[in-house]
Amino acid sequence: MVIISAASTILAVALAAVSCTKASSGSSNLTVPPGAVYIDPLMYNVVGANYTEWRNLSTVGFNPTNTAPPFIQVLDPSFLEVTGPSATIRAITSNPGFAFAHEAPIYVPDLNVVFFTSNDGGPLGYSGWYNNSVVSMINLTEVDMTLASTTGDVNVPIQTLNLSDTVQMVNGGTGPYKGNLLFMTSGRALLPSSIVLVNPNPPYNTTVLLDNFLGRQFNSLNDVKILPGTDIMFFTDPTYGWLNGFRPEPMLPSQVYRFDPSTGQVRVVADQFVHPNGIAFTPDGATAFITDTGISGGFLGTNQTLPATIYQYDVDPLTQSFKNRRVFAYIDSGVPDGIQLDTMGNVYSGCGEGTHVWNAQGTLIGKFYLNSTTAQMIFTKSGLVILDEETIYLVNIQAQGVDLITV
C-alpha cells in the first residue's frame, strides 16, 4: 500500500476520459495519455527531515500521487515519444491464483501469437522438483477484436501447449529463430537445463541444441538473445533453480555464455555477477545489457544491499566477449528481470511494480505502473504485451521493438 505524501498534491493529475490530459509541472504543460501522471523529479529531490513516507522496502513502488494502478507514470517528457498521445493499459487475459504468465515471451508475427511460460518454482506457479511449468500462447488477432468491442479489460482464452518431456521449466525465450521458438529451460530436479527449439505449429516438435558445458550441467539457464547479424546465442545462467527448490545445488559460477550452434563451441563471455538474468543487444550488436537480480535470493530471502542493476557492456568485435562493464541503471523497485529495447534506443525491464523504461543514456523516463511484479514484456503489432504473472496486459504504445527474428 502506498500512502500519499503532502508534497504529492502538487503533482496530482486527475484521471481523464478524454483522448488526452494536461499535466502541469512548473511553467510547462504536457499533454499526456488519458490517466497518465507526470512526476517532475525536481519536486522530490528534497523531502525534508519530517518526511514520513520513506520507502524502506524495495518491493514498494514510487507512487507519490497515490494514483490507482494500472497507469502510465511519466518521469521525463521524452517518455511521451514512447507512449504516444492515447496509450492505455488494458488487461487482455487473467487467471487469478495461477502465475501462468511469467517469462519467455516470443512474438511470432506470421501467426500474430505470443508464446509465454508460467512461473517456474515461484509463488503460484504450481511447479517445482516434481512438477513442470506450462507453456501457453495467446492469439492477438482475437485480442484486438475483443478489445475493439469494449472500452474496458477483457479476458481472452489462452491455449496451453503439450510439449515434449525434454522441455523442463522454460524460463527464457526469443525468436522466431529460423522459424522456431528458442527456449531456455532451467531444468528440473536431475533433468538438465537446456536450450531447445520448438516448432510454433502443432505438434510442436522439439530439438535440444545444448544441455551441458563440456560435461557439466548448467545451474538453471534463464534468458537468451541472438547477437544481431549472426545466429549465435548468448545466455545467462544464475542459480535460481536451486534457490527456488527445483534444481540441485549449483556447480558452476553464475555467468553469461556464448553458444555457436554451427560449431558447437560454448564459452563464457562475462562473469562476476550475483544472479545474471535478462539479456539484450543494441541492433548493431555493439552493446550488450545484462540484468543482475542479486537482491532476490529465493529461499535465502531479500538482501537490499545486493545488485538490482542493469549492466552495460561493449561487445568485442573479434571475440564477442563482453568488456568495459559499467552500470546502466539501478532499479528503485524490485529487480530488473527480462529486458527489451525499442528502435529509439530505450531500454525496458520488468521490475517490482511494473515495466520501467530508460533512455539510451540510462535516465529513467517512465513506467507502466501495475503495482505488481512484471518479469518480462514483448513488442507486438498491437503494442507492448506485459506478463504480470496472473494477468497479461497490452499497452497500445507507438514505440516499436527491435527486430528479434533470426532467419
Side-chain angles (χ1 to χ4, degrees):
M1 181 176 68
V2 179
I3 303 174
I4 190 169
S5 67
S8 68
T9 57
I10 300 173
L11 292 175
V13 178
L15 294 176
V18 295
S19 62
C20 61
T21 59
K22 290 291 184 179
S24 178
S25 171
S27 60
S28 65
N29 288 311
L30 292 178
T31 299
V32 300
V37 174
Y38 175 52
I39 304 295
D40 185 349
L42 288 171
M43 303 303 295
Y44 296 96
N45 289 153
V46 178
V47 294
N50 296 323
Y51 186 66
T52 61
E53 308 303 333
W54 296 109
R55 297 166 56 216
N56 295 320
L57 293 173
S58 65
T59 53
V60 177
F62 183 58
N63 182 12
T65 56
N66 201 31
T67 304
F71 68 97
I72 295 171
Q73 191 178 71
V74 181
L75 297 169
D76 186 272
S78 64
F79 191 48
L80 300 177
E81 299 175 17
V82 170
T83 65
S86 57
T88 57
I89 303 174
R90 299 173 69 180
I92 58 174
T93 189
S94 61
N95 188 358
F98 178 35
F100 71 98
H102 178 58
E103 284 211 61
I106 302 175
Y107 176 58
V108 180
D110 291 346
L111 302 176
N112 202 23
V113 163
V114 172
F115 295 83
F116 54 90
T117 186
S118 63
N119 196 307
D120 51 340
L124 301 180
Y126 302 106
S127 59
W129 190 273
Y130 299 103
N131 299 290
N132 198 3
S133 60
V134 177
V135 174
S136 304
M137 56 183 275
I138 187 167
N139 189 308
L140 292 186
T141 300
E142 185 176 354
V143 168
D144 291 340
M145 293 175 59
T146 307
L147 288 174
S149 67
T150 182
T151 58
D153 296 334
V154 298
N155 195 1
V156 175
I158 65 172
Q159 177 183 337
T160 298
L161 278 62
N162 184 19
L163 298 182
S164 164
D165 287 340
T166 58
V167 182
Q168 294 288 331
M169 296 295 210
V170 170
N171 191 87
T174 192
Y177 180 85
K178 300 183 179 180
N180 295 288
L181 311 174
L182 181 63
F183 282 135
M184 304 295 292
T185 81
S186 293
R188 180 175 59 83
L190 301 182
L191 300 173
S193 297
S194 62
I195 302 177
V196 299
L197 290 179
V198 176
N199 191 302
N201 299 292
Y204 309 113
N205 292 330
T206 300
T207 303
V208 179
L209 299 180
L210 179 71
D211 67 2
N212 73 94
F213 177 67
L214 300 177
R216 301 170 69 183
Q217 284 200 23
F218 294 107
N219 298 323
S220 47
L221 299 184
N222 192 283
D223 204 1
V224 61
K225 285 293 194 307
I226 307 302
L227 181 67
T230 77
D231 60 0
I232 299 174
M233 305 168 188
F234 290 74
F235 57 92
T236 60
D237 185 33
T239 60
Y240 280 122
W242 176 64
L243 293 171
N244 287 325
F246 64 87
R247 284 284 287 154
E249 187 172 349
M251 301 298 290
L252 286 168
S254 294
Q255 304 176 125
V256 180
Y257 294 82
R258 172 192 184 274
F259 172 51
D260 185 343
S262 67
T263 65
Q265 292 290 337
V266 187
R267 59 182 176 84
V268 175
V269 294
D271 62 2
Q272 300 184 12
F273 301 96
V274 181
H275 300 310
N277 201 313
I279 182 170
F281 292 101
T282 53
D284 60 5
T287 304
F289 298 86
I290 301 291
T291 70
D292 190 336
T293 52
I295 186 175
S296 180
F299 71 79
L300 297 178
T302 299
N303 184 340
Q304 296 188 128
T305 67
L306 291 178
T309 306
I310 302 174
Y311 294 106
Q312 188 180 52
Y313 299 81
D314 297 328
V315 180
D316 188 282
L318 179 62
T319 68
Q320 297 177 346
S321 291
F322 294 179
K323 62 182 183 180
N324 301 328
R325 166 170 155 159
R326 60 268 189 191
V327 170
F328 175 77
Y330 175 77
I331 312 310
D332 73 285
S333 174
V335 297
D337 202 325
I339 186 170
Q340 308 287 357
L341 272 65
D342 69 22
T343 56
M344 295 181 286
N346 299 308
V347 177
Y348 299 60
S349 187
C351 299
E353 82 291 51
T355 295
H356 296 192
V357 183
W358 298 263
N359 65 16
Q361 290 72 47
T363 298
L364 182 64
I365 60 175
K367 301 179 181 181
F368 300 107
Y369 199 108
L370 306 178
N371 203 35
S372 57
T373 299
T374 64
Q376 255 289 22
M377 75 299 305
I378 193 72
F379 287 91
T380 72
K381 294 177 183 177
S382 301
L384 186 70
V385 170
I386 299 176
L387 305 183
D388 189 31
E389 305 296 336
E390 300 168 74
T391 304
I392 298 180
Y393 291 92
L394 176 65
V395 193
N396 57 327
I397 61 175
Q398 66 181 15
Q400 302 292 315
V402 299
D403 187 4
L404 299 178
I405 298 174
T406 301
V407 295

